[in-house]
Each structure stands twice: as C-alpha cells, then as structure tokens.
Amino acid sequence: MTILVTGGAGFIGSNFVLDWLRLHDEPVVNLDKLTYAGNRENLASLEGDARHHFVHGDIGDRALVERLLAEHRPRAVLHFAAESHVDRSIHGPEDFIQTNVVGTFRLLEAVRAYWTALPAAEQAAFRFLHVSTDEVFGSLGPHDPPFAETHRYEPNSPYSASKAASDHLVHAWHHTYGLPVITTNCSNNYGPYHFPEKLIPLMIVNALAGKPLPVYGDGQQVRDWLYVGDHCAAIRRVLQAGRVGETYNIGGHNERTNLDVVRTICRLLDALAPAPARGVCDVRSGAPVQRYEQLITFVTDRPGHDRRYAMDARKIERELDWRPAETFDSGLRKTVQWYLDHPDWVQRVQSGAYRAWVQRQYGQEALA
Ligand code: NAD
Ligand code: TYD
C-alpha cells in the first residue's frame, strides 16, 4: 500500500512525511511544487530511502496527478499543498486562488476519476484527507466559545477565503460524487522546519540576529498553538479511524496573545542562548542586547487582522481518542532548541527572495 502526500516539502507536510516513515513502512509519494515555502532539505534524511518517492510538480497538473495515481495506486491522498501565509495573501491573492482553489479542484477531479475506476473493496477503503485551518471560521470575540465543527464559515483574509473555498469543494465532491473525504481544521502550528515568515520562527531567527521583533498592532490578538508533531499524529489518527464525510477540529487548548508568545520566546532564548554570551547587538543601534525582549517593536497592524481563534477539539478527542502530547511550554522549548541546533538550515532559507519578502512586508526599519 502507498499514500500520496501533496505539499510534503513544506512545514507541516515534511514533518508528516518524516514522522510517517519513522513509524510505518508504507511508502509515500510526495508531490510538491517547491514554491518558496517548499524545501527539499527538510527531507534530506530520506535521501536514498526507497519508501520516499519525491515528485516535483503542481497539484493543478491533472495529467501528472493522473499518471501518479495510475502508477502508484495509493490507498489515500493527504492534501497539505497550499499557499499558506496570510500576509502574502494580502499582497498577492492570485497564487492562493490558483493553488488552494483551482489546484484543489483539479486534484479532486483527478482523484475522482481514479477512485471511480477502483475495484469495490479498494474504493471503500480509499480516503481523501483534506488538511485545512481554523481560519475559515473567522474571528472570535474575547468571550465567545471556541469554534466547533458546526461553526459558520466566515473567512476574512484572501488566504482563509481560499481555504474555505477548498473545504467547500471537498465537501461537495463527497456529497455529489460520493468521494470518501475527511477534512481536518487545525489551529496554528509551530515546530521544526517552520519557514521564518510566520510568527514563531520569525521571532526566533530575528532575535538571534539582533533584529527587531515586529509585533502587529497591540499584540493582543489570540491564537491557539499546536505543536506540529501533534497535528501530524491527529492526521494519522483521522486517516486510520475518522468517519467519511466528517470534519474534525484539531487544537492545542493553548490560547495565547501574540505578545505573550513573543515574550515567552525571548525568555526561552535568554535561558538557552543568552544574548550577551553570543555577542548579539541590536542591528538598529549597535548596542549590545542584554535581554531579547528589548528587540520587541510594535509595527503597523495587518489589514483585517483576525482578533482571536480558538478551537473546540472535543470531537476528535471523544471519537478518536486523540490528544496533544506536548504542552505549549514543552513544544516551544523543543522548537527554540531546534532552531538553535540548525543554524545552517536557517541561513539557507533566508535567501534573496526571503530578504525581498521581509523588505516588502516590514520595510527598511524592521529589515535593518
Ligand atoms: P507551507 O507553506 O509551509 O507549505 C506548503 C507546501 O505546499 C510547500 O512545500 C509548497 O511548495 C507546496 N505547494 C504550494 N503550492 C503547490 C502546488 N500548486 N502544487 C504542489 N505543491 C504546492 O504550509 P504549511 O504551514 O506546511 O501548511 C500545510 C497545510 O496545512 C496547508 O494546507 C495549510 O492551509 C494547512 N494548515 C496550516 C497551519 C499552520 O499553522 N501552518 C494550520 C492549519 C492548517
Ligand atoms: P502567522 O504566524 O502569520 O499565522 P496566522 O496569521 O495564520 O495566524 O501570525 C500569527 C499571529 O502573529 C497573527 O496574529 C499575526 C501575528 N504576527 C505579528 O504580530 N508579527 C509578525 O511579524 C507576524 C508574521 C505575525
């Protein structure tokens, strides 16, 4: 048996593939376009491993996807591939529509054709697992209950609107054609191989370089944080025992304000990699940094910034007995340590294109 993973060179996808092949012998076909967010180096430990078959290509390339399905005959497709960064979706929504909406549509069509032609037993066992986000539900007030699976879809950003559209397509392909789909909606992930455009890795790499830690607006926006390994475990469990046609919320019960998250990272770095011992200087003033919190800088807020996300994950806990293994403290400590242990990875992902993005998003001051 084989599974087909899309987007398996990105942050969550590569963690999923690495964990999967650590735990199973079942081969993985990994289809990834290698956009700026895809990085084959994440999968370097699988070099020469016959169980991992990497394919450089687009989920929207129907002929390619059809060929891969016919050749490898997977028992499941796990769909991670997406454009995933809200700020990039604000600057340029087109790629989000192309990959998240059109790409998912084409993938669904190729999978439907393949699935329709399968023998009955294989058809019954087949799964299309669609990896989605809590952001499709919109924004909560401070005292609202967390999002349940039944919460109305109210996406606010081009990113979340494109993910919501893809969720609807997946649902419709089940309802209309009987494709055996399951959708998961997860809260904010963090952990190894996280591209440093997102909050947690950006703060770690900027702090170590003495660069400003750009907090949008008042920093009081709330996110629910889940360690990426826990998300991957939840997806494995849903694949194994989730009910077809259902959606499952996945969350960490870790609501934190952004400012709180940034301060916690600074304190962890103070303990694990003290700035004075590393000779870190503030790139703006040249002054030695004593404590990383000195680098926190409030910057212009994100347009349409969602105030709060929170997940009610009781369904997956009750039905599938999944629970996160990491607390926010244990997961964040592991994550900070991973970045400290992988300076070469960090240096290599900060390419010219990365620097151009930082300049565009934060301007000269935050780039320093
Ligand atoms: P990411 O941006 O790190 O990785 C996305 C991967 O998809 C990259 O390897 C990229 O090269 C690939 N890709 C993009 N367009 C493609 C295309 N057209 N064809 C093939 N491959 C393509 O994203 P991530 O953070 O790993 O997120 C993975 C999935 O999980 C996404 O669907 C995202 O919406 C969802 N999700 C993410 C989070 C989070 O906190 N990061 C939370 C919940 C859900
Ligand atoms: P992000 O990691 O981009 O995830 P998402 O927008 O999908 O939740 O951002 C997490 C939170 O951190 C979000 O409220 C925006 C905020 N943020 C900052 O304050 N500064 C930054 O430089 C970034 C990238 C995000």
Side-chain angles (χ1 to χ4, degrees):
M1 290 201 290
T2 299
I3 59 167
L4 172 66
V5 166
T6 71
F11 163 49
I12 304 174
S14 61
N15 275 280
F16 181 85
V17 170
L18 292 170
D19 288 356
W20 179 269
L21 292 175
R22 204 168 29 241
L23 297 165
H24 304 79
D25 270 333
E26 185 176 355
V28 176
V29 179
N30 184 351
L31 172 62
D32 197 295
K33 190 179 174 183
L34 296 178
T35 68
Y36 78 92
N39 186 353
R40 283 208 71 173
E41 195 180 337
N42 299 358
L43 303 159
S45 62
L46 299 176
E47 208 65 27
D49 187 329
R51 299 170 306 163
H52 181 235
H53 183 75
F54 185 80
V55 181
H56 183 194
D58 194 320
I59 55 165
D61 181 345
R62 185 161 168 185
L64 170 66
V65 177
E66 281 179 352
R67 183 170 63 69
L68 291 175
L69 292 168
E71 207 174 295
H72 298 279
R73 300 185 62 80
R75 66 167 176 109
V77 172
L78 292 101
H79 180 32
F80 293 88
E83 289 292 335
S84 69
H85 189 31
V86 173
D87 292 321
R88 286 188 193 251
S89 82
I90 294 168
H91 287 292
E94 177 93 33
D95 288 347
F96 290 72
I97 303 303
Q98 272 316 322
T99 283
N100 301 0
V101 186
V102 179
T104 299
F105 157 69
R106 295 210 179 121
L107 179 67
L108 281 167
E109 279 295 82
V111 171
R112 180 166 75 90
Y114 163 72
W115 171 78
T116 305
L118 286 176
E122 287 175 46
Q123 230 182 40
F126 185 83
R127 296 289 179 270
F128 182 95
L129 201 155
H130 177 58
V131 179
S132 192
T133 165
D134 58 358
E135 306 194 21
V136 297
F137 297 123
S139 185
L140 292 167
H143 305 297
D144 290 340
F147 299 126
E149 285 81 359
T150 50
H151 194 279
R152 196 164 81 167
Y153 269 43
E154 289 178 299
N156 290 317
S157 72
Y159 164 65
S160 56
S162 68
K163 288 297 290 188
S166 69
D167 292 10
H168 290 319
L169 292 174
V170 169
H171 171 79
W173 262 240
H174 171 65
H175 191 81
T176 304
Y177 304 113
L179 191 70
V181 309
I182 308 179
T183 296
T184 55
N185 294 87
C186 188
S187 59
N188 284 59
N189 283 214
Y190 64 98
Y193 305 110
H194 205 180
F195 192 73
E197 63 182 356
K198 307 277 170 67
L199 180 75
I200 287 181
L202 180 80
M203 295 299 156
I204 299 171
V205 307
N206 274 16
L208 292 172
K211 291 183 179 172
L213 307 181
V215 173
Y216 297 161
D218 62 3
Q220 294 308 307
Q221 302 81 7
V222 172
R223 297 290 181 267
D224 169 48
W225 293 96
L226 181 71
Y227 187 69
V228 64
D230 282 324
H231 187 190
C232 294
I235 289 171
R236 290 194 301 274
R237 186 72 189 124
V238 169
L239 178 64
Q240 183 184 43
R243 285 187 292 138
V244 167
E246 292 291 318
T247 67
Y248 293 92
N249 281 356
I250 304 170
H253 303 297
N254 279 312
E255 283 187 59
R256 298 277 191 286
T257 66
N258 292 339
L259 193 55
D260 197 24
V261 169
V262 176
R263 289 200 169 123
T264 308
I265 292 168
C266 289
R267 282 195 292 272
L268 272 169
L269 284 172
D270 287 338
L272 296 171
R278 291 172 73 96
V280 178
C281 291
D282 186 325
V283 290
R284 288 168 296 187
S285 64
V289 172
Q290 298 304 322
R291 296 177 63 241
Y292 290 105
E293 275 199 28
Q294 286 168 238
L295 297 168
I296 292 177
T297 306
F298 290 91
V299 300
T300 309
D301 208 352
R302 169 188 284 175
H305 198 170
D306 283 339
R307 198 70 184 163
R308 175 176 167 241
Y309 304 141
M311 279 307 234
D312 176 347
R314 284 178 298 179
K315 179 175 171 183
I316 189 172
E317 292 171 1
R318 190 178 60 242
E319 283 190 17
L320 302 180
D321 199 27
W322 170 87
R323 269 165 204 77
E326 301 289 345
T327 63
F328 190 60
D329 288 343
S330 67
L332 197 60
R333 179 174 286 270
K334 272 190 186 177
T335 303
V336 169
Q337 191 61 56
W338 187 89
Y339 280 85
L340 289 169
D341 292 343
H342 294 82
D344 294 345
W345 184 93
V346 170
Q347 202 208 332
R348 280 196 285 270
V349 298
Q350 292 179 305
S351 64
Y354 174 80
R355 288 198 297 278
W357 162 253
V358 172
Q359 168 113 45
R360 177 168 194 194
Q361 173 62 11
Y362 301 98
Q364 203 51 45
E365 193 225 11
L367 183 69

